[in-house]
Amino acid sequence: MNENKPGDSQNLACVFCRKTDDCPYKYGEKKTNEKWNLTVHYHCLLMSSGIWQRGKEEEGLYGFLIEDIKKEVHRASKLKCSVCKKSGASIGCVAPRCKRSYHLPCGLERECIFQFTGNFASFCWSHRPIQITTSNNYRDSLPCTICLEYIEPIPTYSVLQSPCCKNAWFHRDCLQVQAINAGIFFFRCTICNNSEIFQKEMLKMGIHIPEKDASWELEENAYQDLLQHHERCDVRRCRCKEGREYNEPDSKWEIKRCQCCGSSGTHLACSSLRSWEQNWECLECRSIIYNSGFQKAKKHAAPKSNKVAITDCLLEESSPKLQKLSSGPQHEELLRQGSKFRRDISTILIELGFQIKKKTEKLYINKANIWNSAIDEFKNFNPSYTIEVSYVNENDGFGKECLGSKQEFLSLLMHHLANSSLFEGSLSKNLSLNSQALEENLYYEAGKILAISLVHGGPSPGFFSKTLFNCLVYGPENTEPVLEDVSDFDVAQIIIRINTAADITDLNSVINECYNYLDVIGCLRHVTTLNDKYMLAKDVLVYQVIKRVQIPFESFKQGLKTLGVLEKIQTYPEAFYDILCHKPETLSAKVLSDLFEMHTLPDVQTSGYWKNYLQNIEEGKSATTMEDILIFATGCNSVPPSGFKPTPSIEYLHTDFPVGNKCNNCLVLPITKTYKEFEESMDFTIRNTIKLEKEEYSHYVEH
């Protein structure tokens, strides 16, 4: 039956399809019973038409008895495959009067559909189910919402449409990989997070959803760290003089743990948290949360049903062919197949920068009132002209002008915008409702300024919430906000109370208490069952985060259309997501060293001092940071997405102190006799310069 040696499992052929391939993504796990010299692919066994699981899970192979497998192999040996014309075709089309049979790999090649639910039906290429979709109003290609490669929005075997979000399209391969990794408890629509409708449709269209926990939850000792409380400040620069382990409750030196992993912490003061109630996430969790395609959901019990159709969801009834609880390997490389079609953010912004003409326009900016002076200057500014900045001080009586750094100006402007009353939230911000700003059309101006900043070489904004970003890309109607988006404490408490109501009496009590509020926002509804609380809570959440700020959002979006930025955001969301929603990565010694070019003949000794200085900073041996050096030389604390213009440079001079020329992004290093002199000179000058600038800016902001 199988001529291969049992010990050489990689070369053993499946008794059904006769292939040696070990590809769990396509054929399921490959398993061998050495006693009987039987090797099968799990999916080949599962989909074979004449066999059922009669044994327990540990019996035979996956619960299929050895004698049953032998009988099925014998039956299949008499059937010829309609694709390859060879014998052993164990899978038949379930359509009435259709006599086609095929091997599983041949069926996949001919785009047959195999349903891993109900009676585990298979359909040949002529009788396979097709998606019923609304009329296609899309003229252009749309991105697969998983890999973001552009596809034609037409339902085919390899392209599927979400049943719950009509503008969400997927590659079949992308969906299958996501299903394998997520498992039945976490596999859901990447846009609206629906699981029930989405899973039912995908099972019907042949997506295999393993009945297992998500792959990230199956790691050994995944939750070991949660058995003890973490009490240490882990931020890069701890400001507590008593040390990182110092924890004083009810003070600014109380340690707050990461709300996601609980295995990292920060003093409230070290992360600028005003109260313990504020949410805080460590850098690792923040990157995972903002890069993930969907949010985790709570596990739920599988309901029972006495009757089930072929295309019904796997959760509704135990199948005659019980699925193997197997994690299977991750196939993340398939999700990266479309990477060659993705665009690098710097390339996109550089291309947008081609619109900028050589003609310059001077902006007269008063640092004492940077936001208002910028608003005034940008109102008549042609976005396609080159920006030239001149700082003026209206209080000195002489009206002196001082040439300023464009990138420093844009950095200060983005910092002010992130902390302005136009946005609400701590780290991840949504639009606020500010009637005065609305009257003065400031939301439009904010969008316009942000677009101009990105194209003209400004920094990464990095403060958008995932909800605000999704509203811009996919539209508010296709975005589902989360409780963390609600910055109003009282409203958040109302939503929590509704969601946690224990019975219908408790729910009605909350509604009566909040009657006037619910009536005003149009969310008052009659509830008859406890399950009605979820829709009520969702209504309040959607109103507070999306509907309440609909007018500011439309105005902000119009401003973002400046220089074609919004169109690019919607075309390449993956590229823009990082710079709009993520803070830039921490600078390293290598990144900073590679960033600066030598514009004069280097002094060999000082070059060595410079490299040692950067290394000592990286190892925490200096109070100066990499960001301090970059600010000192360029006015920016991070590398702009489109890069620096001109490229930062280093010069060597016989001076007592380093010099930073922010207009030319030039750093002058002092030539000293010893490293200690070099280090002291650098630390003293950079730290005091940064300190004075911060004090000056704080004074301007306060007044």
Side-chain angles (χ1 to χ4, degrees), residues 361-366 371-382 388 390 409 448:
E361 187 167 330
K362 186 176 288 187
L363 302 180
Y364 295 93
I365 303 300
N366 180 10
W371 175 250
N372 288 331
S373 62
I375 291 290
D376 291 340
E377 291 295 296
F378 275 123
K379 280 181 180 177
N380 298 316
F381 172 70
N382 186 333
E388 186 177 313
S390 181
F409 161 64
K448 176 184 173 182

mmCIF file with all atom_site columns, all heavy atoms in Angstrom, residues 361-366 371-382 388 390 409 448:
data_model
loop_
_atom_site.group_PDB
_atom_site.id
_atom_site.type_symbol
_atom_site.label_atom_id
_atom_site.label_alt_id
_atom_site.label_comp_id
_atom_site.label_asym_id
_atom_site.label_entity_id
_atom_site.label_seq_id
_atom_site.pdbx_PDB_ins_code
_atom_site.Cartn_x
_atom_site.Cartn_y
_atom_site.Cartn_z
_atom_site.occupancy
_atom_site.B_iso_or_equiv
_atom_site.pdbx_formal_charge
_atom_site.auth_seq_id
_atom_site.auth_comp_id
_atom_site.auth_asym_id
_atom_site.auth_atom_id
_atom_site.pdbx_PDB_model_num
ATOM 1   N N   . GLU A 1 361 ? 7.904  80.460 -0.668 1.00 0.00 ? 361 GLU A N   1
ATOM 2   C CA  . GLU A 1 361 ? 7.016  81.420 -0.023 1.00 0.00 ? 361 GLU A CA  1
ATOM 3   C C   . GLU A 1 361 ? 7.375  81.458 1.449  1.00 0.00 ? 361 GLU A C   1
ATOM 4   O O   . GLU A 1 361 ? 7.426  80.423 2.117  1.00 0.00 ? 361 GLU A O   1
ATOM 5   C CB  . GLU A 1 361 ? 5.549  81.019 -0.215 1.00 0.00 ? 361 GLU A CB  1
ATOM 6   C CG  . GLU A 1 361 ? 4.585  82.080 0.292  1.00 0.00 ? 361 GLU A CG  1
ATOM 7   C CD  . GLU A 1 361 ? 3.163  81.832 -0.181 1.00 0.00 ? 361 GLU A CD  1
ATOM 8   O OE1 . GLU A 1 361 ? 2.977  81.255 -1.271 1.00 0.00 ? 361 GLU A OE1 1
ATOM 9   O OE2 . GLU A 1 361 ? 2.239  82.202 0.555  1.00 0.00 ? 361 GLU A OE2 1
ATOM 10  N N   . LYS A 1 362 ? 7.639  82.658 1.952  1.00 0.00 ? 362 LYS A N   1
ATOM 11  C CA  . LYS A 1 362 ? 8.095  82.801 3.328  1.00 0.00 ? 362 LYS A CA  1
ATOM 12  C C   . LYS A 1 362 ? 6.909  82.851 4.283  1.00 0.00 ? 362 LYS A C   1
ATOM 13  O O   . LYS A 1 362 ? 5.942  83.564 4.061  1.00 0.00 ? 362 LYS A O   1
ATOM 14  C CB  . LYS A 1 362 ? 8.944  84.063 3.479  1.00 0.00 ? 362 LYS A CB  1
ATOM 15  C CG  . LYS A 1 362 ? 9.585  84.212 4.858  1.00 0.00 ? 362 LYS A CG  1
ATOM 16  C CD  . LYS A 1 362 ? 10.497 85.424 4.928  1.00 0.00 ? 362 LYS A CD  1
ATOM 17  C CE  . LYS A 1 362 ? 11.771 85.195 4.139  1.00 0.00 ? 362 LYS A CE  1
ATOM 18  N NZ  . LYS A 1 362 ? 12.739 86.301 4.344  1.00 0.00 ? 362 LYS A NZ  1
ATOM 19  N N   . LEU A 1 363 ? 6.998  82.037 5.336  1.00 0.00 ? 363 LEU A N   1
ATOM 20  C CA  . LEU A 1 363 ? 5.991  82.047 6.394  1.00 0.00 ? 363 LEU A CA  1
ATOM 21  C C   . LEU A 1 363 ? 6.586  82.758 7.604  1.00 0.00 ? 363 LEU A C   1
ATOM 22  O O   . LEU A 1 363 ? 7.642  82.371 8.103  1.00 0.00 ? 363 LEU A O   1
ATOM 23  C CB  . LEU A 1 363 ? 5.592  80.616 6.774  1.00 0.00 ? 363 LEU A CB  1
ATOM 24  C CG  . LEU A 1 363 ? 5.038  79.721 5.666  1.00 0.00 ? 363 LEU A CG  1
ATOM 25  C CD1 . LEU A 1 363 ? 4.696  78.344 6.232  1.00 0.00 ? 363 LEU A CD1 1
ATOM 26  C CD2 . LEU A 1 363 ? 3.806  80.341 5.025  1.00 0.00 ? 363 LEU A CD2 1
ATOM 27  N N   . TYR A 1 364 ? 5.908  83.793 8.071  1.00 0.00 ? 364 TYR A N   1
ATOM 28  C CA  . TYR A 1 364 ? 6.376  84.553 9.228  1.00 0.00 ? 364 TYR A CA  1
ATOM 29  C C   . TYR A 1 364 ? 5.709  83.975 10.480 1.00 0.00 ? 364 TYR A C   1
ATOM 30  O O   . TYR A 1 364 ? 4.504  84.157 10.700 1.00 0.00 ? 364 TYR A O   1
ATOM 31  C CB  . TYR A 1 364 ? 6.061  86.038 9.068  1.00 0.00 ? 364 TYR A CB  1
ATOM 32  C CG  . TYR A 1 364 ? 6.804  86.665 7.916  1.00 0.00 ? 364 TYR A CG  1
ATOM 33  C CD1 . TYR A 1 364 ? 6.224  86.741 6.644  1.00 0.00 ? 364 TYR A CD1 1
ATOM 34  C CD2 . TYR A 1 364 ? 8.098  87.160 8.080  1.00 0.00 ? 364 TYR A CD2 1
ATOM 35  C CE1 . TYR A 1 364 ? 6.905  87.300 5.574  1.00 0.00 ? 364 TYR A CE1 1
ATOM 36  C CE2 . TYR A 1 364 ? 8.792  87.723 7.017  1.00 0.00 ? 364 TYR A CE2 1
ATOM 37  C CZ  . TYR A 1 364 ? 8.194  87.784 5.769  1.00 0.00 ? 364 TYR A CZ  1
ATOM 38  O OH  . TYR A 1 364 ? 8.876  88.336 4.711  1.00 0.00 ? 364 TYR A OH  1
ATOM 39  N N   . ILE A 1 365 ? 6.495  83.280 11.271 1.00 0.00 ? 365 ILE A N   1
ATOM 40  C CA  . ILE A 1 365 ? 5.953  82.524 12.395 1.00 0.00 ? 365 ILE A CA  1
ATOM 41  C C   . ILE A 1 365 ? 6.407  83.129 13.718 1.00 0.00 ? 365 ILE A C   1
ATOM 42  O O   . ILE A 1 365 ? 7.604  83.365 13.940 1.00 0.00 ? 365 ILE A O   1
ATOM 43  C CB  . ILE A 1 365 ? 6.406  81.042 12.331 1.00 0.00 ? 365 ILE A CB  1
ATOM 44  C CG1 . ILE A 1 365 ? 5.983  80.412 11.003 1.00 0.00 ? 365 ILE A CG1 1
ATOM 45  C CG2 . ILE A 1 365 ? 5.844  80.258 13.505 1.00 0.00 ? 365 ILE A CG2 1
ATOM 46  C CD1 . ILE A 1 365 ? 4.484  80.417 10.749 1.00 0.00 ? 365 ILE A CD1 1
ATOM 47  N N   . ASN A 1 366 ? 5.442  83.360 14.592 1.00 0.00 ? 366 ASN A N   1
ATOM 48  C CA  . ASN A 1 366 ? 5.722  83.847 15.934 1.00 0.00 ? 366 ASN A CA  1
ATOM 49  C C   . ASN A 1 366 ? 5.696  82.656 16.890 1.00 0.00 ? 366 ASN A C   1
ATOM 50  O O   . ASN A 1 366 ? 4.653  82.041 17.103 1.00 0.00 ? 366 ASN A O   1
ATOM 51  C CB  . ASN A 1 366 ? 4.666  84.883 16.338 1.00 0.00 ? 366 ASN A CB  1
ATOM 52  C CG  . ASN A 1 366 ? 4.904  85.429 17.734 1.00 0.00 ? 366 ASN A CG  1
ATOM 53  O OD1 . ASN A 1 366 ? 5.943  85.184 18.337 1.00 0.00 ? 366 ASN A OD1 1
ATOM 54  N ND2 . ASN A 1 366 ? 3.920  86.158 18.246 1.00 0.00 ? 366 ASN A ND2 1
ATOM 55  N N   . TRP A 1 371 ? 0.666  78.275 16.743 1.00 0.00 ? 371 TRP A N   1
ATOM 56  C CA  . TRP A 1 371 ? -0.509 77.690 16.090 1.00 0.00 ? 371 TRP A CA  1
ATOM 57  C C   . TRP A 1 371 ? -1.297 78.748 15.327 1.00 0.00 ? 371 TRP A C   1
ATOM 58  O O   . TRP A 1 371 ? -1.597 78.588 14.144 1.00 0.00 ? 371 TRP A O   1
ATOM 59  C CB  . TRP A 1 371 ? -1.382 76.992 17.128 1.00 0.00 ? 371 TRP A CB  1
ATOM 60  C CG  . TRP A 1 371 ? -2.676 76.465 16.571 1.00 0.00 ? 371 TRP A CG  1
ATOM 61  C CD1 . TRP A 1 371 ? -3.928 76.934 16.818 1.00 0.00 ? 371 TRP A CD1 1
ATOM 62  C CD2 . TRP A 1 371 ? -2.840 75.380 15.650 1.00 0.00 ? 371 TRP A CD2 1
ATOM 63  N NE1 . TRP A 1 371 ? -4.859 76.202 16.127 1.00 0.00 ? 371 TRP A NE1 1
ATOM 64  C CE2 . TRP A 1 371 ? -4.221 75.245 15.400 1.00 0.00 ? 371 TRP A CE2 1
ATOM 65  C CE3 . TRP A 1 371 ? -1.956 74.512 15.018 1.00 0.00 ? 371 TRP A CE3 1
ATOM 66  C CZ2 . TRP A 1 371 ? -4.734 74.280 14.542 1.00 0.00 ? 371 TRP A CZ2 1
ATOM 67  C CZ3 . TRP A 1 371 ? -2.470 73.534 14.170 1.00 0.00 ? 371 TRP A CZ3 1
ATOM 68  C CH2 . TRP A 1 371 ? -3.840 73.429 13.931 1.00 0.00 ? 371 TRP A CH2 1
ATOM 69  N N   . ASN A 1 372 ? -1.621 79.841 16.010 1.00 0.00 ? 372 ASN A N   1
ATOM 70  C CA  . ASN A 1 372 ? -2.421 80.882 15.357 1.00 0.00 ? 372 ASN A CA  1
ATOM 71  C C   . ASN A 1 372 ? -1.668 81.553 14.210 1.00 0.00 ? 372 ASN A C   1
ATOM 72  O O   . ASN A 1 372 ? -2.251 81.872 13.174 1.00 0.00 ? 372 ASN A O   1
ATOM 73  C CB  . ASN A 1 372 ? -2.864 81.938 16.383 1.00 0.00 ? 372 ASN A CB  1
ATOM 74  C CG  . ASN A 1 372 ? -3.936 81.406 17.314 1.00 0.00 ? 372 ASN A CG  1
ATOM 75  O OD1 . ASN A 1 372 ? -4.711 80.530 16.933 1.00 0.00 ? 372 ASN A OD1 1
ATOM 76  N ND2 . ASN A 1 372 ? -3.983 81.921 18.535 1.00 0.00 ? 372 ASN A ND2 1
ATOM 77  N N   . SER A 1 373 ? -0.364 81.765 14.404 1.00 0.00 ? 373 SER A N   1
ATOM 78  C CA  . SER A 1 373 ? 0.400  82.392 13.316 1.00 0.00 ? 373 SER A CA  1
ATOM 79  C C   . SER A 1 373 ? 0.514  81.436 12.132 1.00 0.00 ? 373 SER A C   1
ATOM 80  O O   . SER A 1 373 ? 0.481  81.866 10.972 1.00 0.00 ? 373 SER A O   1
ATOM 81  C CB  . SER A 1 373 ? 1.789  82.824 13.797 1.00 0.00 ? 373 SER A CB  1
ATOM 82  O OG  . SER A 1 373 ? 2.546  81.699 14.222 1.00 0.00 ? 373 SER A OG  1
ATOM 83  N N   . ALA A 1 374 ? 0.614  80.132 12.403 1.00 0.00 ? 374 ALA A N   1
ATOM 84  C CA  . ALA A 1 374 ? 0.655  79.156 11.312 1.00 0.00 ? 374 ALA A CA  1
ATOM 85  C C   . ALA A 1 374 ? -0.680 79.121 10.573 1.00 0.00 ? 374 ALA A C   1
ATOM 86  O O   . ALA A 1 374 ? -0.715 79.061 9.338  1.00 0.00 ? 374 ALA A O   1
ATOM 87  C CB  . ALA A 1 374 ? 0.993  77.773 11.859 1.00 0.00 ? 374 ALA A CB  1
ATOM 88  N N   . ILE A 1 375 ? -1.782 79.148 11.317 1.00 0.00 ? 375 ILE A N   1
ATOM 89  C CA  . ILE A 1 375 ? -3.118 79.167 10.693 1.00 0.00 ? 375 ILE A CA  1
ATOM 90  C C   . ILE A 1 375 ? -3.248 80.378 9.781  1.00 0.00 ? 375 ILE A C   1
ATOM 91  O O   . ILE A 1 375 ? -3.707 80.279 8.626  1.00 0.00 ? 375 ILE A O   1
ATOM 92  C CB  . ILE A 1 375 ? -4.221 79.188 11.772 1.00 0.00 ? 375 ILE A CB  1
ATOM 93  C CG1 . ILE A 1 375 ? -4.285 77.857 12.518 1.00 0.00 ? 375 ILE A CG1 1
ATOM 94  C CG2 . ILE A 1 375 ? -5.581 79.504 11.151 1.00 0.00 ? 375 ILE A CG2 1
ATOM 95  C CD1 . ILE A 1 375 ? -4.812 76.707 11.726 1.00 0.00 ? 375 ILE A CD1 1
ATOM 96  N N   . ASP A 1 376 ? -2.829 81.533 10.270 1.00 0.00 ? 376 ASP A N   1
ATOM 97  C CA  . ASP A 1 376 ? -2.924 82.764 9.473  1.00 0.00 ? 376 ASP A CA  1
ATOM 98  C C   . ASP A 1 376 ? -2.071 82.680 8.212  1.00 0.00 ? 376 ASP A C   1
ATOM 99  O O   . ASP A 1 376 ? -2.503 83.088 7.126  1.00 0.00 ? 376 ASP A O   1
ATOM 100 C CB  . ASP A 1 376 ? -2.486 83.973 10.318 1.00 0.00 ? 376 ASP A CB  1
ATOM 101 C CG  . ASP A 1 376 ? -3.476 84.282 11.438 1.00 0.00 ? 376 ASP A CG  1
ATOM 102 O OD1 . ASP A 1 376 ? -4.641 83.835 11.321 1.00 0.00 ? 376 ASP A OD1 1
ATOM 103 O OD2 . ASP A 1 376 ? -3.084 84.926 12.427 1.00 0.00 ? 376 ASP A OD2 1
ATOM 104 N N   . GLU A 1 377 ? -0.852 82.150 8.350  1.00 0.00 ? 377 GLU A N   1
ATOM 105 C CA  . GLU A 1 377 ? 0.059  82.082 7.208  1.00 0.00 ? 377 GLU A CA  1
ATOM 106 C C   . GLU A 1 377 ? -0.398 81.051 6.174  1.00 0.00 ? 377 GLU A C   1
ATOM 107 O O   . GLU A 1 377 ? -0.269 81.260 4.971  1.00 0.00 ? 377 GLU A O   1
ATOM 108 C CB  . GLU A 1 377 ? 1.473  81.750 7.695  1.00 0.00 ? 377 GLU A CB  1
ATOM 109 C CG  . GLU A 1 377 ? 2.146  82.854 8.488  1.00 0.00 ? 377 GLU A CG  1
ATOM 110 C CD  . GLU A 1 377 ? 2.397  84.095 7.646  1.00 0.00 ? 377 GLU A CD  1
ATOM 111 O OE1 . GLU A 1 377 ? 3.170  84.017 6.673  1.00 0.00 ? 377 GLU A OE1 1
ATOM 112 O OE2 . GLU A 1 377 ? 1.788  85.146 7.954  1.00 0.00 ? 377 GLU A OE2 1
ATOM 113 N N   . PHE A 1 378 ? -0.937 79.932 6.647  1.00 0.00 ? 378 PHE A N   1
ATOM 114 C CA  . PHE A 1 378 ? -1.335 78.868 5.729  1.00 0.00 ? 378 PHE A CA  1
ATOM 115 C C   . PHE A 1 378 ? -2.619 79.183 4.966  1.00 0.00 ? 378 PHE A C   1
ATOM 116 O O   . PHE A 1 378 ? -2.901 78.543 3.955  1.00 0.00 ? 378 PHE A O   1
ATOM 117 C CB  . PHE A 1 378 ? -1.493 77.539 6.479  1.00 0.00 ? 378 PHE A CB  1
ATOM 118 C CG  . PHE A 1 378 ? -0.208 76.778 6.647  1.00 0.00 ? 378 PHE A CG  1
ATOM 119 C CD1 . PHE A 1 378 ? 0.248  76.407 7.903  1.00 0.00 ? 378 PHE A CD1 1
ATOM 120 C CD2 . PHE A 1 378 ? 0.555  76.423 5.537  1.00 0.00 ? 378 PHE A CD2 1
ATOM 121 C CE1 . PHE A 1 378 ? 1.433  75.704 8.052  1.00 0.00 ? 378 PHE A CE1 1
ATOM 122 C CE2 . PHE A 1 378 ? 1.745  75.718 5.682  1.00 0.00 ? 378 PHE A CE2 1
ATOM 123 C CZ  . PHE A 1 378 ? 2.185  75.364 6.941  1.00 0.00 ? 378 PHE A CZ  1
ATOM 124 N N   . LYS A 1 379 ? -3.409 80.132 5.450  1.00 0.00 ? 379 LYS A N   1
ATOM 125 C CA  . LYS A 1 379 ? -4.674 80.454 4.776  1.00 0.00 ? 379 LYS A CA  1
ATOM 126 C C   . LYS A 1 379 ? -4.440 80.941 3.351  1.00 0.00 ? 379 LYS A C   1
ATOM 127 O O   . LYS A 1 379 ? -5.217 80.643 2.448  1.00 0.00 ? 379 LYS A O   1
ATOM 128 C CB  . LYS A 1 379 ? -5.444 81.498 5.590  1.00 0.00 ? 379 LYS A CB  1
ATOM 129 C CG  . LYS A 1 379 ? -6.200 80.900 6.773  1.00 0.00 ? 379 LYS A CG  1
ATOM 130 C CD  . LYS A 1 379 ? -6.972 81.948 7.545  1.00 0.00 ? 379 LYS A CD  1
ATOM 131 C CE  . LYS A 1 379 ? -7.725 81.297 8.716  1.00 0.00 ? 379 LYS A CE  1
ATOM 132 N NZ  . LYS A 1 379 ? -8.434 82.298 9.544  1.00 0.00 ? 379 LYS A NZ  1
ATOM 133 N N   . ASN A 1 380 ? -3.378 81.694 3.144  1.00 0.00 ? 380 ASN A N   1
ATOM 134 C CA  . ASN A 1 380 ? -3.084 82.229 1.805  1.00 0.00 ? 380 ASN A CA  1
ATOM 135 C C   . ASN A 1 380 ? -1.863 81.560 1.172  1.00 0.00 ? 380 ASN A C   1
ATOM 136 O O   . ASN A 1 380 ? -1.341 82.045 0.173  1.00 0.00 ? 380 ASN A O   1
ATOM 137 C CB  . ASN A 1 380 ? -2.853 83.743 1.888  1.00 0.00 ? 380 ASN A CB  1
ATOM 138 C CG  . ASN A 1 380 ? -4.088 84.480 2.389  1.00 0.00 ? 380 ASN A CG  1
ATOM 139 O OD1 . ASN A 1 380 ? -5.198 84.189 1.965  1.00 0.00 ? 380 ASN A OD1 1
ATOM 140 N ND2 . ASN A 1 380 ? -3.885 85.410 3.312  1.00 0.00 ? 380 ASN A ND2 1
ATOM 141 N N   . PHE A 1 381 ? -1.424 80.468 1.765  1.00 0.00 ? 381 PHE A N   1
ATOM 142 C CA  . PHE A 1 381 ? -0.224 79.789 1.287  1.00 0.00 ? 381 PHE A CA  1
ATOM 143 C C   . PHE A 1 381 ? -0.578 78.795 0.187  1.00 0.00 ? 381 PHE A C   1
ATOM 144 O O   . PHE A 1 381 ? -1.542 78.037 0.290  1.00 0.00 ? 381 PHE A O   1
ATOM 145 C CB  . PHE A 1 381 ? 0.457  79.065 2.452  1.00 0.00 ? 381 PHE A CB  1
ATOM 146 C CG  . PHE A 1 381 ? 1.604  78.175 2.045  1.00 0.00 ? 381 PHE A CG  1
ATOM 147 C CD1 . PHE A 1 381 ? 2.794  78.720 1.591  1.00 0.00 ? 381 PHE A CD1 1
ATOM 148 C CD2 . PHE A 1 381 ? 1.487  76.793 2.109  1.00 0.00 ? 381 PHE A CD2 1
ATOM 149 C CE1 . PHE A 1 381 ? 3.856  77.904 1.223  1.00 0.00 ? 381 PHE A CE1 1
ATOM 150 C CE2 . PHE A 1 381 ? 2.534  75.967 1.746  1.00 0.00 ? 381 PHE A CE2 1
ATOM 151 C CZ  . PHE A 1 381 ? 3.726  76.530 1.299  1.00 0.00 ? 381 PHE A CZ  1
ATOM 152 N N   . ASN A 1 382 ? 0.206  78.807 -0.874 1.00 0.00 ? 382 ASN A N   1
ATOM 153 C CA  . ASN A 1 382 ? 0.030  77.831 -1.949 1.00 0.00 ? 382 ASN A CA  1
ATOM 154 C C   . ASN A 1 382 ? 0.778  76.556 -1.553 1.00 0.00 ? 382 ASN A C   1
ATOM 155 O O   . ASN A 1 382 ? 2.004  76.559 -1.472 1.00 0.00 ? 382 ASN A O   1
ATOM 156 C CB  . ASN A 1 382 ? 0.589  78.384 -3.265 1.00 0.00 ? 382 ASN A CB  1
ATOM 157 C CG  . ASN A 1 382 ? 0.312  77.466 -4.442 1.00 0.00 ? 382 ASN A CG  1
ATOM 158 O OD1 . ASN A 1 382 ? 0.171  76.257 -4.281 1.00 0.00 ? 382 ASN A OD1 1
ATOM 159 N ND2 . ASN A 1 382 ? 0.225  78.035 -5.627 1.00 0.00 ? 382 ASN A ND2 1
ATOM 160 N N   . GLU A 1 388 ? 9.539  78.450 3.301  1.00 0.00 ? 388 GLU A N   1
ATOM 161 C CA  . GLU A 1 388 ? 10.682 79.097 3.947  1.00 0.00 ? 388 GLU A CA  1
ATOM 162 C C   . GLU A 1 388 ? 10.164 79.728 5.229  1.00 0.00 ? 388 GLU A C   1
ATOM 163 O O   . GLU A 1 388 ? 9.156  80.434 5.221  1.00 0.00 ? 388 GLU A O   1
ATOM 164 C CB  . GLU A 1 388 ? 11.280 80.171 3.033  1.00 0.00 ? 388 GLU A CB  1
ATOM 165 C CG  . GLU A 1 388 ? 12.555 80.789 3.583  1.00 0.00 ? 388 GLU A CG  1
ATOM 166 C CD  . GLU A 1 388 ? 13.167 81.792 2.621  1.00 0.00 ? 388 GLU A CD  1
ATOM 167 O OE1 . GLU A 1 388 ? 13.275 81.474 1.417  1.00 0.00 ? 388 GLU A OE1 1
ATOM 168 O OE2 . GLU A 1 388 ? 13.520 82.904 3.072  1.00 0.00 ? 388 GLU A OE2 1
ATOM 169 N N   . SER A 1 390 ? 10.495 82.039 8.674  1.00 0.00 ? 390 SER A N   1
ATOM 170 C CA  . SER A 1 390 ? 11.182 83.155 9.329  1.00 0.00 ? 390 SER A CA  1
ATOM 171 C C   . SER A 1 390 ? 10.503 83.391 10.672 1.00 0.00 ? 390 SER A C   1
ATOM 172 O O   . SER A 1 390 ? 9.305  83.682 10.739 1.00 0.00 ? 390 SER A O   1
ATOM 173 C CB  . SER A 1 390 ? 11.108 84.420 8.465  1.00 0.00 ? 390 SER A CB  1
ATOM 174 O OG  . SER A 1 390 ? 11.797 85.482 9.085  1.00 0.00 ? 390 SER A OG  1
ATOM 175 N N   . PHE A 1 409 ? 9.979  73.783 12.529 1.00 0.00 ? 409 PHE A N   1
ATOM 176 C CA  . PHE A 1 409 ? 8.668  74.431 12.557 1.00 0.00 ? 409 PHE A CA  1
ATOM 177 C C   . PHE A 1 409 ? 7.545  73.404 12.414 1.00 0.00 ? 409 PHE A C   1
ATOM 178 O O   . PHE A 1 409 ? 6.567  73.413 13.172 1.00 0.00 ? 409 PHE A O   1
ATOM 179 C CB  . PHE A 1 409 ? 8.590  75.471 11.435 1.00 0.00 ? 409 PHE A CB  1
ATOM 180 C CG  . PHE A 1 409 ? 7.187  75.877 11.070 1.00 0.00 ? 409 PHE A CG  1
ATOM 181 C CD1 . PHE A 1 409 ? 6.367  76.534 11.982 1.00 0.00 ? 409 PHE A CD1 1
ATOM 182 C CD2 . PHE A 1 409 ? 6.686  75.603 9.802  1.00 0.00 ? 409 PHE A CD2 1
ATOM 183 C CE1 . PHE A 1 409 ? 5.071  76.901 11.632 1.00 0.00 ? 409 PHE A CE1 1
ATOM 184 C CE2 . PHE A 1 409 ? 5.400  75.967 9.454  1.00 0.00 ? 409 PHE A CE2 1
ATOM 185 C CZ  . PHE A 1 409 ? 4.589  76.608 10.368 1.00 0.00 ? 409 PHE A CZ  1
ATOM 186 N N   . LYS A 1 448 ? -5.535 70.203 6.551  1.00 0.00 ? 448 LYS A N   1
ATOM 187 C CA  . LYS A 1 448 ? -4.697 70.808 5.515  1.00 0.00 ? 448 LYS A CA  1
ATOM 188 C C   . LYS A 1 448 ? -3.237 70.916 5.983  1.00 0.00 ? 448 LYS A C   1
ATOM 189 O O   . LYS A 1 448 ? -2.301 70.566 5.242  1.00 0.00 ? 448 LYS A O   1
ATOM 190 C CB  . LYS A 1 448 ? -5.249 72.185 5.169  1.00 0.00 ? 448 LYS A CB  1
ATOM 191 C CG  . LYS A 1 448 ? -4.417 72.986 4.173  1.00 0.00 ? 448 LYS A CG  1
ATOM 192 C CD  . LYS A 1 448 ? -5.030 74.368 3.982  1.00 0.00 ? 448 LYS A CD  1
ATOM 193 C CE  . LYS A 1 448 ? -4.145 75.260 3.130  1.00 0.00 ? 448 LYS A CE  1
ATOM 194 N NZ  . LYS A 1 448 ? -4.718 76.623 2.987  1.00 0.00 ? 448 LYS A NZ  1
#
